[in-house]
């Protein structure tokens, strides 16, 4: 028996994958066009993981609601990033503190992670974020206000813009 479990589920926005240890969520994917693409994004670890859809029902509902435009807080979802470097963990934790509907530049993230002169390293931490939604890297932007990266390709940048616009509307409505 393995201590890793996973699920891949379809949403109206694409297929989403989740991988977890007993300590918490280790990896999530952005919506992918196919199950195979999701499997690839989850990585080789799922070969040793057990598929347990029931374990992820609450998280699945949260992700689906979030992608549908609802105000969802992922702050209570336990994550397992113990195998990451101290800086990655610090940057990811700092990113989790950015309120929905707000953005922060990479320089702020670097400072919040304890390395104020390392905005490029903060950018790399966001590029290595393996927990989209739970670590809301879409809220981190360039200092000139441009969106910066978000996965690869134009459709990912459009998703980042859509998520930021959605969160801004939700916050303005409250």
């Amino acid at each position: 028996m393995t201590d890793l479990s996973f699920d891949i589920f379809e949403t109206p926005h694409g297929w989403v994958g989740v991988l977890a240890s007993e300590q918490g969520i280790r990896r999530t994917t952005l919506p992918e066009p196919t199950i195979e693409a999701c499997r690839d994004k989850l990585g080789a670890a799922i070969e040793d993981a057990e598929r347990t859809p029931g374990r992820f029902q609450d998280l699945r509902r949260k992700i689906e609601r979030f992608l549908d435009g609802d105000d969802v807080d992922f702050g209570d979802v336990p994550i397992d990033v113990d195998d990451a470097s101290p800086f990655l963990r610090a940057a990811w934790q700092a990113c989790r503190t950015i309120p929905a509907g707000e953005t922060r530049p990479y320089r702020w993230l670097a400072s919040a992670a304890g390395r104020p002169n390392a905005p490029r390293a903060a950018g790399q931490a966001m590029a290595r974020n393996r927990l989209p939604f739970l670590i809301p890297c879409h809220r981190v932007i360039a200092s000139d206000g441009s969106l910066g990266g978000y996965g690869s390709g134009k459709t990912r940048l459009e998703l980042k813009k859509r998520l930021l616009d959605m969160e801004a509307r939700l916050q303005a409505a409250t």
Side-chain angles (χ1 to χ4, degrees):
M1 176 116 179
T2 179
D3 76 331
L4 294 179
S5 58
F6 80 99
D7 192 23
I8 296 173
F9 51 89
E10 190 173 19
T11 75
H13 306 279
W15 294 89
V16 174
V18 181
L19 175 72
S21 70
E22 292 174 358
Q23 288 73 41
I25 307 299
R26 288 188 135 182
R27 186 173 294 276
T28 58
T29 70
L30 291 170
E32 296 292 337
T34 65
I35 291 174
E36 293 77 19
C38 249
R39 283 183 155 290
D40 289 346
K41 295 286 183 179
L42 287 176
I46 68 165
E47 300 305 321
D48 296 324
E50 179 181 348
R51 187 159 190 199
T52 56
R55 175 179 179 187
F56 302 105
Q57 285 301 323
D58 290 341
L59 181 56
R60 176 183 181 158
R61 277 192 286 280
K62 281 186 169 196
I63 290 171
E64 288 172 339
R65 286 181 39 234
F66 181 72
L67 290 171
D68 285 342
D70 290 345
D71 189 9
V72 176
D73 180 10
F74 292 101
D76 63 340
V77 178
I79 62 173
D80 178 2
V81 293
D82 289 346
D83 60 335
S85 73
F87 179 73
L88 286 179
R89 288 194 312 268
W92 293 342
Q93 185 55 42
C95 184
R96 287 187 97 184
T97 70
I98 303 170
E102 296 183 21
T103 59
R104 300 288 186 274
Y106 293 104
R107 182 164 302 289
W108 174 91
L109 185 65
S111 183
R115 291 185 48 199
N117 295 320
R120 285 189 178 179
Q124 284 302 306
M126 295 301 95
R128 292 186 179 128
N129 177 16
R130 60 188 189 213
L131 291 163
F133 310 124
L134 307 183
I135 298 172
C137 58
H138 64 278
R139 296 178 188 154
V140 182
I141 60 171
S143 59
D144 66 1
S146 64
L147 294 184
Y150 192 62
S152 58
K154 182 180 176 191
T155 57
R156 292 295 191 220
L157 211 48
E158 289 169 359
L159 175 61
K160 180 174 184 170
K161 181 171 179 11
R162 185 173 69 79
L163 293 174
L164 289 172
D165 290 347
M166 172 197 69
E167 288 182 342
R169 278 192 310 275
L170 288 170
Q171 293 309 308
T174 57

